Amino acid sequence: MPEMHGWELTTRLVGLYPGIRQLFMSGYTADVIARHGVFDEGLQFIEKPFSARDLAQRIRQVLEGVQVPVTQSADHTQPRK
């Protein structure tokens, strides 16, 4: 997005729609992002590249409130017990 980054968009949307579900995506691995302290508790994430099926599965999990550890890749999105 040329005008803002994802965190800024999220902040604006949460201000307008408290409780909105969010799914972040990045080409960086979850481990790399986590090392930079970017992940907040409960953040939902999918790592690029992903298939349409992986994306649909993650969106369903986010909508249903299933928390998936951010260190799992798109290929291993099993719900946390």
Side-chain angles (χ1 to χ4, degrees), residues 57-76:
Q57 180 181 9
R58 286 297 289 127
I59 290 171
R60 174 55 45 209
Q61 290 169 335
V62 170
L63 291 175
E64 291 176 352
V66 175
Q67 184 65 42
V68 176
V70 295
T71 56
Q72 292 183 350
S73 71
D75 296 330
H76 303 94

Side-chain angles (χ1 to χ4, degrees), residues 1-67:
M1 295 180 295
E3 300 293 323
M4 69 180 80
H5 55 78
W7 288 114
E8 185 178 346
L9 176 62
T10 297
T11 301
R12 289 183 185 192
L13 288 174
V14 169
L16 294 171
Y17 306 99
I20 190 172
R21 307 282 174 134
Q22 307 159 42
L23 176 61
F24 290 91
M25 67 177 75
S26 176
Y28 292 103
T29 65
D31 292 339
V32 169
I33 295 172
R35 277 183 279 188
H36 286 83
V38 174
F39 285 131
D40 290 334
E41 182 70 28
L43 179 101
Q44 298 281 1
F45 177 78
I46 187 168
E47 182 181 313
K48 295 177 189 176
F50 49 82
S51 68
R53 181 178 179 185
D54 290 336
L55 180 59
Q57 180 181 9
R58 286 297 289 127
I59 290 171
R60 174 55 45 209
Q61 290 169 335
V62 170
L63 291 175
E64 291 176 352
V66 175
Q67 184 65 42

